[in-house]
Amino acid sequence: MAGKPKLYYFDGRGKMESIRWLLAAAGVEFEEEFLETREQYEKLLQDGSLLFQQVPMVEIDGMKMVQTRAILSYIAAKYNLYGKDLKERALIDMYVGGTDDLMGFILIFPFLSAEDKEKQRAFIVEKATSRYFPAYEKVLKDHGQDFLVGNNFSWADVHLLEAILMVEEKKSDVLTGFPRLQAFKARISSIPTIKKFLQPGSQRKPVPDDKYVETVRRVLRMLYDVKAN
């Protein structure tokens, strides 16, 4: 029997958080090794574990996988969260891609100056409410089903819920005016594996704090400031 997937990343969200979400949604237990020192990171580099010299890295099924999208695609396919045919997979890829774009605006947020954070917060909310949430509201209306693709729970649903909750951390009432997304959020959050992941004590990470930012900067030797959009 194969061991549990093992995740190599920082003790925080970043690009690994969507991988945690998807594994949790699939009901898969996983282990984590948190990078806290430059030496840990350099060891991974030296033993050839990081093909492109970057994390996240996940050990799964005898592979050391890097590149977030490749890892997510593999997990989705392995655990039947990637649609029933090529057309459904294409739709899932399209919706996940859109959600990724929105998440990208949020991932840089912890690394911004205080002034830039306020600008970025407004930018995130504006993009969510004028571009991304209207699109998913329309998808749900036109599709007429409980889920984004087909009538089955998929990676697209997991990713969208994660994004919604991330934006709500920036503005709690951001779903006002999006009744289908409000219902979607409640529905997907009640799926047993998701509900478990949303409970205190799970492996879901909190909003990134100063300690997380300092650790990432130190381990990766980030000598430059991140700029707002």
Side-chain angles (χ1 to χ4, degrees), residues 124-223:
I124 289 164
V125 172
E126 192 278 325
K127 289 299 181 186
T129 55
S130 69
R131 178 182 295 181
Y132 297 100
F133 289 173
Y136 292 115
E137 185 82 359
K138 183 178 187 300
V139 168
L140 290 166
K141 178 182 178 181
D142 293 348
H143 186 43
Q145 302 289 347
D146 287 346
F147 306 105
L148 287 171
V149 179
N151 196 25
N152 292 296
F153 181 48
S154 78
W155 173 22
D157 302 306
V158 181
H159 217 51
L160 179 55
L161 177 61
E162 182 188 0
I164 287 171
L165 296 181
M166 289 170 74
V167 179
E168 283 186 331
E169 290 169 348
K170 303 295 179 254
K171 189 174 190 294
S172 60
D173 63 349
V174 74
L175 287 186
T176 300
F178 300 102
R180 288 178 178 82
L181 282 178
Q182 292 175 35
F184 172 88
K185 173 192 167 186
R187 191 163 55 245
I188 303 303
S189 296
S190 69
I191 291 172
T193 54
I194 296 291
K195 185 176 182 179
K196 181 180 179 182
F197 190 60
L198 293 173
Q199 297 302 308
S202 79
Q203 287 170 288
R204 184 186 180 209
K205 304 307 176 192
V207 176
D209 59 13
D210 290 344
K211 180 181 178 182
Y212 167 76
V213 170
E214 192 278 329
T215 300
V216 173
R217 287 187 177 277
R218 183 181 67 252
V219 173
L220 298 184
R221 292 182 177 167
M222 291 175 62
L223 304 177

Side-chain angles (χ1 to χ4, degrees), residues 19-212:
I19 297 168
R20 298 184 186 107
W21 266 87
L22 195 56
L23 285 168
V28 178
E29 295 183 356
F30 56 88
E31 299 174 347
E32 301 191 72
E33 180 170 316
F34 298 126
L35 301 182
E36 299 175 343
T37 67
R38 178 70 184 182
E39 288 70 28
Q40 285 176 286
Y41 177 65
E42 289 180 346
K43 184 177 185 302
L44 291 175
L45 292 174
Q46 290 164 5
D47 68 17
S49 295
L50 306 181
L51 183 62
F52 300 111
Q53 302 177 28
Q54 296 172 318
V55 287
M57 190 269 283
V58 175
E59 287 186 337
I60 184 170
D61 295 341
M63 299 183 290
K64 292 184 176 180
M65 293 195 71
V66 295
Q67 293 298 320
T68 308
R69 188 59 180 263
I71 297 166
L72 288 165
S73 297
Y74 182 81
I75 294 167
K78 179 178 174 69
Y79 295 106
N80 300 314
L81 295 170
Y82 212 174
K84 71 178 187 298
D85 55 31
L86 194 59
K87 183 177 180 180
E88 287 193 357
R89 183 168 293 196
L91 289 173
I92 290 168
D93 283 339
M94 184 169 69
Y95 298 151
V96 166
T99 311
D100 265 344
D101 291 344
L102 175 57
M103 285 181 172
F105 303 140
I106 303 172
L107 285 176
I108 67 169
F109 188 85
F111 297 90
L112 299 174
S113 67
E115 180 182 354
D116 279 348
K117 280 182 178 177
E118 290 313 304
K119 295 177 183 176
Q120 189 72 0
R121 187 188 309 274
F123 179 86
I124 289 164
V125 172
E126 192 278 325
K127 289 299 181 186
T129 55
S130 69
R131 178 182 295 181
Y132 297 100
F133 289 173
Y136 292 115
E137 185 82 359
K138 183 178 187 300
V139 168
L140 290 166
K141 178 182 178 181
D142 293 348
H143 186 43
Q145 302 289 347
D146 287 346
F147 306 105
L148 287 171
V149 179
N151 196 25
N152 292 296
F153 181 48
S154 78
W155 173 22
D157 302 306
V158 181
H159 217 51
L160 179 55
L161 177 61
E162 182 188 0
I164 287 171
L165 296 181
M166 289 170 74
V167 179
E168 283 186 331
E169 290 169 348
K170 303 295 179 254
K171 189 174 190 294
S172 60
D173 63 349
V174 74
L175 287 186
T176 300
F178 300 102
R180 288 178 178 82
L181 282 178
Q182 292 175 35
F184 172 88
K185 173 192 167 186
R187 191 163 55 245
I188 303 303
S189 296
S190 69
I191 291 172
T193 54
I194 296 291
K195 185 176 182 179
K196 181 180 179 182
F197 190 60
L198 293 173
Q199 297 302 308
S202 79
Q203 287 170 288
R204 184 186 180 209
K205 304 307 176 192
V207 176
D209 59 13
D210 290 344
K211 180 181 178 182
Y212 167 76

